[in-house]
Amino acid sequence: AMIATLTALNRDQDAQDMRWECFETNLSVPHLRSYLKALPDFEDVEAEERAMSHTLTFSHVGQALNFCMEWPDLRTAAQLIEHRADELDGDNYALLTPAADRLRDRHPMAATLVFRAMINYALYAGRSARYGHLVDHLYDLTALDAEITDYGDHLSHDKYVTALRRTYAHKSSFWAKVGDQ
């Protein structure tokens, strides 16, 4: 309502400032779209790049990832995940599962880190009802491993699975479902 009022009063710059503030505070897709639409030609590209840079440093990584999925900008989502994987909430499978599925073809490392976050959380928290999904995620990781040439600072697939087996050796019902994975 405030933006509409400012626009009606021909206070276009104030309206733009408010749109940007709403985006910056909440990563609001509608406000960013309105902000970009109101810019002169060619200024929107620079503003969108600035918005994606802001997204990468946004305080809540889950909200930032949700924004990237909704925008959509899978490249920024992959960057976000690869740099802030330890902040992902593995319990947020409603966001993470579709994100991993969308990222897997073009950003296999990011998809891997998302699957790992869900696996790590569910095993740590003892969410045995999710074990079937975790086994599927392990198979996804095996498939993605063939696409990844450099794990950077992250564990390779083999080292990750070895670490899981060591840390969660006591989760016998999970490992029984995994079999010889």
Side-chain angles (χ1 to χ4, degrees):
M2 182 66 155
I3 293 170
T5 301
L6 291 170
T7 302
L9 294 172
N10 291 322
R11 293 176 52 191
D12 296 334
Q13 187 56 52
D14 291 335
Q16 277 296 79
D17 292 345
M18 181 159 275
R19 286 182 188 105
W20 181 259
E21 183 180 333
C22 289
F23 160 72
E24 199 172 44
T25 303
N26 302 309
L27 295 184
S28 167
V29 168
H31 286 100
L32 181 58
R33 289 200 195 286
S34 295
Y35 179 84
L36 295 175
K37 185 177 177 182
L39 289 175
D41 288 343
F42 305 110
E43 287 184 27
D44 59 337
V45 174
E46 183 179 310
E48 186 173 351
E49 288 173 3
R50 185 171 56 128
M52 294 311 126
S53 292
H54 174 70
T55 301
L56 289 171
T57 61
F58 193 72
S59 61
H60 190 277
V61 72
Q63 193 172 347
L65 179 57
N66 188 62
F67 169 82
C68 290
M69 293 293 106
E70 191 177 337
W71 185 250
D73 184 342
L74 298 182
R75 184 180 59 83
T76 299
Q79 288 177 308
L80 177 74
I81 292 162
E82 289 177 23
H83 291 100
R84 298 175 65 187
D86 59 329
E87 297 175 53
L88 291 173
D89 177 4
D91 192 30
N92 192 354
Y93 58 88
L95 169 63
L96 297 183
T97 301
D101 289 340
R102 288 179 63 194
L103 289 163
R104 68 184 314 143
D105 290 336
R106 295 184 62 209
H107 304 282
M109 186 65 210
T112 292
L113 295 172
V114 171
F115 282 129
R116 287 180 179 184
M118 291 186 289
I119 292 168
N120 294 344
Y121 172 80
L123 287 174
Y124 176 79
R127 301 292 168 95
S128 58
R130 296 186 191 175
Y131 284 0
H133 295 292
L134 301 186
V135 171
D136 292 342
H137 295 338
L138 272 177
Y139 286 117
D140 289 328
L141 292 178
T142 300
L144 288 166
D145 181 52
E147 304 297 320
I148 300 170
T149 57
D150 181 10
Y151 277 87
D153 294 336
H154 304 284
L155 293 176
S156 69
H157 176 66
D158 292 336
K159 288 181 180 179
Y160 174 73
V161 173
T162 299
L164 269 185
R165 285 189 180 277
R166 185 178 23 222
T167 304
Y168 298 106
H170 62 285
K171 305 281 185 176
S172 57
S173 62
F174 171 70
W175 294 112
K177 288 180 184 289
V178 172
D180 294 328
Q181 163 63 22

